[in-house]
Amino acid sequence: ATGEALILVPLTLTKIDDLDFGTVITSGVSGTVAINATTGARTVAGGITALPSDAGHRAYFASGGSPNHQVIVAVSQPVVLTSLAGDTLTVLALTLDGSPIRTIDPVTRTFFFGIGGIIVVGANQPDGVYQSEFTVTANYL
């Protein structure tokens, strides 16, 4: 009989960029703002006007670990973004830029991923900066 052990280096997870929905202008009609997890592009729908000077961007992360091993990435879903005044925006979803299962590159020992999302902006939404935290985890399979 033989004994065997597989030793893996601890995973690292580094935030490169926060998720930013950019600046929008509301109207008497509600709408949505979406950030594409793959490209970082913003789209708006409904009564929302996008301000081109602040287009926002996806969240972007880097992770590293033992080469050729699979990792599962998970994102917690905040329910709302909240302003300092206590006003809220509903978060419809946060999305990954592909499968949550990633393989660590055999040469660079890293992988990268983006996170996008969709928020609902109410009719005549009060102005302000709306924020919330979300958690991203990466674990070996």
Side-chain angles (χ1 to χ4, degrees):
T2 60
E4 184 178 294
L6 173 61
I7 308 298
L8 302 174
V9 299
L11 284 172
T12 61
L13 184 59
T14 304
K15 178 187 71 175
I16 297 170
D17 279 320
D18 285 315
L19 176 59
D20 183 354
F21 290 94
T23 302
V24 298
I25 301 168
T26 65
S27 72
V29 177
S30 66
T32 59
V33 180
I35 299 290
N36 183 292
T38 302
T39 66
R42 176 178 65 178
T43 55
V44 298
I48 305 301
T49 301
L51 200 63
S53 61
D54 182 16
H57 51 78
R58 68 185 178 164
Y60 200 60
F61 292 84
S63 187
S66 294
N68 292 318
H69 285 278
Q70 288 191 320
V71 174
I72 187 161
V73 176
V75 180
S76 68
Q77 299 285 331
V79 176
V80 296
L81 303 181
T82 305
S83 73
L84 288 175
D87 298 307
T88 61
L89 294 173
T90 300
V91 178
L92 289 181
L94 293 184
T95 56
L96 285 170
D97 63 352
S99 170
I101 298 174
R102 307 296 170 110
T103 301
I104 299 171
D105 185 273
V107 176
T108 65
R109 306 183 101 178
T110 61
F111 67 93
F112 297 85
F113 60 94
I115 297 174
I118 304 170
I119 58 173
V120 176
V121 179
N124 301 313
Q125 183 78 38
D127 65 344
V129 175
Y130 291 74
Q131 297 178 334
S132 182
E133 292 185 359
F134 61 93
T135 303
V136 179
T137 58
N139 294 296
Y140 284 113
L141 285 179

